[in-house]
Amino acid sequence: MDQKIRDTILNLLSTHRIMTVATLRPDGWPQATTVGYVNDGLTLYFLCGLESQKAKNLARDNRLSLTIDHDTADLMAITGLSMAAHAEPVLDRAEAEKVLSMLPLKYPDAPPLPMKMPGPDEVRIFRVMPTIVSVLDYTKGFGHTDLVAY
């Protein structure tokens, strides 16, 4: 991967906080859900309820698509990422605790949570490993994308 495009991807990951993940329901229909995320380099993490539909979908088929973007009033300022990826549950307790400790850092100006932060046994944490990344950057032209395969 070209260093410039890697830096662009890492910058977009560090300056955004939410992504939409699409998983496959048992009936074959995609299910898109907005979640918060953190990243360690190009590896992304998100959490959900132990028995959530997302967790059940990913237990059956670990493929997902995701988008990360932001709202802008200027059409030609649209930037973002879309990815095809595989999601695996984080089973290592040290890795899970690291991810949970990273989450509050994404929201430094947020008011205190109305409850305690969940522990690794109370949520399902997924590690997302991209296989294809599309970097969307309208500042380079309408609909401009750079495609990166892993």
Side-chain angles (χ1 to χ4, degrees):
M1 173 186 314
D2 174 89
Q3 187 61 44
K4 184 176 179 185
I5 198 77
R6 180 182 174 84
D7 290 346
T8 299
I9 293 168
L10 291 173
N11 181 58
L12 286 165
L13 290 173
S14 70
T15 58
H16 293 77
R17 296 188 270 208
I18 59 171
M19 66 181 175
T20 301
V21 296
T23 58
L24 292 171
R25 296 174 52 83
D27 59 9
W29 283 95
Q31 175 183 336
T33 310
T34 300
V35 296
Y37 74 91
V38 295
N39 65 291
D40 185 5
L42 298 175
T43 301
L44 288 75
Y45 296 92
F46 73 91
L47 57 97
C48 60
L50 294 171
E51 297 299 321
S52 71
Q53 187 65 52
K54 286 183 297 299
K56 291 176 183 176
N57 293 347
L58 290 169
R60 198 178 48 266
D61 185 337
N62 76 343
R63 295 175 298 162
L64 64 79
S65 290
L66 67 89
T67 62
I68 296 171
D69 53 32
H70 66 285
D71 190 20
T72 178
D74 179 358
L75 175 68
M76 297 310 292
I78 293 174
T79 60
L81 301 169
S82 63
M83 299 182 188
H86 290 94
E88 299 289 343
V90 173
L91 303 176
D92 178 73
R93 188 165 189 87
E95 184 180 9
E97 289 173 353
K98 176 184 170 187
V99 170
L100 291 173
S101 72
M102 293 167 64
L103 276 168
L105 302 176
K106 277 285 221 193
Y107 300 88
D109 300 326
L113 289 176
M115 75 267 191
K116 77 172 192 68
M117 184 73 165
D121 300 327
E122 300 170 291
V123 292
R124 182 85 59 231
I125 301 171
F126 286 97
R127 178 187 323 102
V128 178
M129 290 100 26
T131 57
I132 299 173
V133 178
S134 179
V135 182
L136 184 65
D137 188 350
Y138 277 37
T139 67
K140 294 180 179 178
F142 182 79
H144 178 88
T145 59
D146 292 302
L147 196 62
V148 179
Y150 284 77

